[in-house]
Amino acid sequence: MTRDQIIAAYTGYIACLNGQDWQNLHQYVSETASYNGTLIGLEGYRKMLIGDFQAIPDLTFNIGRLICDPPWIAAHLTFDCTPVGDLFDLPVNGKRVQFTENVFYEFADGKIQTVTSVIDKAAIAAQVCTGEG
């Protein structure tokens, strides 16, 4: 895939997530996708995302920055949301929090094959513990 094709596929993927269009996730994610070194496949990926939206009903993926070097794309995602219970083992319980995620995706055969994600959990902890947010 070219740089422009990967960027187009990635922005389509983000729109799919934000629309919770799980029926079409297969257009963007490989049947053999891995997440942070674990093979979870398309169904595991779908279940993970559905769980994210259950924990965070107002979840929206916002692209802050994109860097593309085929077959890789890196994104700095921003979140401003209100989880309903615990988030990453932190008692958020309906408090609005803001945090970021740095994530790298490898594309193969036109789909996301490998995902490596680092979420700024310290930012969430600081907001929950100090009342910021």
Side-chain angles (χ1 to χ4, degrees):
M1 294 176 76
T2 68
R3 179 183 182 279
D4 289 343
Q5 289 171 326
I6 290 173
I7 291 170
Y10 183 73
T11 56
Y13 161 76
I14 292 296
C16 180
L17 299 187
N18 286 335
Q20 298 182 52
D21 185 8
W22 310 131
Q23 298 289 344
N24 288 308
L25 188 63
H26 70 280
Q27 293 179 22
Y28 305 100
V29 177
S30 168
E31 288 284 342
T32 57
S34 67
Y35 181 82
N36 283 350
T38 301
L39 177 66
I40 61 173
L42 175 60
E43 285 309 308
Y45 204 89
R46 181 180 287 122
K47 287 178 186 175
M48 175 184 70
L49 289 166
I50 290 170
D52 291 344
F53 277 91
Q54 288 172 340
I56 312 168
D58 64 347
L59 181 61
T60 302
F61 291 76
N62 303 292
I63 300 171
R65 273 183 229 110
L66 278 180
I67 299 172
C68 187
D69 185 14
W72 292 90
I73 191 165
H76 178 78
L77 302 174
T78 63
F79 302 91
D80 184 346
C81 55
T82 313
V84 295
D86 287 357
L87 182 63
F88 310 119
D89 297 321
L90 296 166
V92 179
N93 300 320
K95 179 171 178 34
R96 182 175 161 216
V97 293
Q98 299 167 338
F99 62 97
T100 61
E101 176 182 18
N102 292 309
V103 60
F104 297 84
Y105 304 84
E106 181 182 23
F107 277 77
D109 299 320
K111 297 182 182 183
I112 294 169
Q113 179 65 49
T114 305
V115 180
T116 304
S117 166
V118 178
I119 296 172
D120 187 0
K121 298 174 188 175
I124 300 166
Q127 293 168 70
V128 171
C129 295
T130 65
E132 295 176 16

